[in-house]
Amino acid sequence: MYTLREFTKTREGLAECFEVIHGIGYAGVQLSAVGCMDGDHPEVSPAEARAMLDANGLRCVATHRGWDRLRDYTAAEIEFHRILGCDYTAIGGLWGAKTSEDYDAFVTTSQRVCAELGAAGIRFGYHNHAHEFIMDRARGKRHYDLLIDAPHLMLEVDTYWLNHAGLDVAAFIRQIPGRIQVIHVKDKEVLPDKGPVMAPVGEGNLHWDGILDACRTGGTEWYVVEQDDCYRDPFDCLSSSFDFLAARGLAG
């Protein structure tokens, strides 16, 4: 849903998005940056969102929630996910983290949060960008390695950002089997007038046969199509990604 964030600022927009997503063929969504559900007085409650999802035969397979919400209001977040029928949440990154010590602090606090979420049947993941792969030369580890070393954390890997950080995506996924139940799939295309850009899955230069094989053998359950920026109609981009993945046996 992050791809469609400009269309989900109102109740009507969210309902229309769910209808189109269902029509494309998707079986589930990750609720992320849904404006009409944000704030202290959201226009759409979790119960209303659940009813909209049910009406379109969709499942909320994951959410993106703020770390401060999950850390400080864990019980409320558990109830939020219970109503949605969702058993997976992730944060979109630690934007204030600059040092290894920042990540150490997050890992320590996340143990308590993961324990409480886990007791309610909710898994907790971390969504990467590229900045987590800064190398701390004094410790001989990248910041992301500190997350890998914390087995209570799931890793909501983003294929574009792994590639952007200079990594072999398939090889990286194979290093952490069982930790990537939910993955963000997006491609990278090089355009003559723009340079490298995010692209629908299958329209860029990532090696998808290897990536998808690594996901299958590593236990990935849900492939979340996400394109932060679209240079054409976002719904068309989502449809193109779906068709590519469905042709490779990942329908729904």
Side-chain angles (χ1 to χ4, degrees):
M1 297 303 294
Y2 187 75
T3 309
L4 302 176
R5 60 194 180 279
E6 295 302 318
F7 302 89
T8 63
K9 296 178 179 180
T10 66
R11 179 192 306 274
E12 293 75 17
L14 181 62
E16 290 174 4
C17 284
F18 285 158
E19 290 177 10
V20 175
I21 289 168
H22 169 73
I24 292 172
Y26 286 100
V29 297
Q30 175 165 6
L31 293 180
S32 176
V34 177
C36 64
M37 296 182 68
D38 290 340
D40 294 332
H41 304 286
E43 182 181 359
V44 175
S45 69
E48 291 169 321
R50 174 69 180 273
M52 290 183 189
L53 289 165
D54 290 347
N56 287 283
L58 294 170
R59 175 181 167 187
C60 178
V61 303
T63 67
H64 264 187
R65 304 292 287 172
W67 172 231
D68 57 343
R69 290 281 319 166
L70 290 162
R71 181 192 63 211
D72 301 336
Y73 302 96
T74 312
E77 287 298 308
I78 288 172
E79 178 64 7
F80 178 90
H81 287 82
R82 184 194 66 78
I83 294 170
L84 286 172
C86 179
D87 67 357
Y88 190 102
T89 188
I91 62 170
L94 288 174
W95 298 108
K98 303 295 183 184
T99 67
S100 294
E101 288 71 28
D102 292 330
Y103 286 89
D104 287 338
F106 165 72
V107 167
T108 297
T109 305
S110 69
Q111 290 177 330
R112 188 269 301 169
V113 175
C114 281
E116 293 184 28
L117 291 173
I122 301 169
R123 296 166 291 179
F124 176 58
Y126 184 101
H127 172 274
N128 67 279
H129 290 79
H131 64 268
E132 294 92 351
F133 293 91
I134 292 172
M135 174 64 74
D136 181 337
R137 301 197 181 281
R139 294 173 66 165
K141 288 191 174 186
R142 303 164 299 188
H143 292 159
Y144 197 85
D145 292 326
L146 305 178
L147 306 179
I148 293 176
D149 291 343
H152 61 280
L153 290 173
M154 298 300 104
L155 301 171
E156 191 183 50
V157 161
D158 185 295
T159 58
Y160 175 94
W161 290 113
L162 280 183
N163 176 271
H164 195 69
L167 299 172
D168 180 320
V169 179
F172 184 85
I173 290 170
R174 293 187 190 282
Q175 292 174 11
I176 45 176
R179 300 281 295 280
I180 313 174
Q181 291 95 346
V182 178
I183 190 169
H184 278 200
V185 287
K186 67 183 72 157
D187 215 332
K188 180 188 281 189
E189 181 180 10
V190 181
L191 299 180
D193 57 337
K194 297 179 182 295
V197 297
M198 295 179 181
V201 181
E203 293 188 18
N205 294 315
L206 270 64
H207 300 291
W208 288 103
D209 288 343
I211 292 170
L212 297 179
D213 182 67
C215 288
R216 289 188 183 97
T217 58
T220 299
E221 300 167 10
W222 288 97
Y223 301 76
V224 176
V225 173
E226 182 183 76
Q227 194 173 335
D228 305 23
D229 299 302
C230 301
Y231 56 87
R232 66 174 193 264
D233 180 69
F235 294 97
D236 182 60
C237 290
L238 289 177
S239 181
S240 179
S241 291
F242 179 87
D243 290 344
F244 179 86
L245 293 168
R248 284 151 182 80
L250 298 176

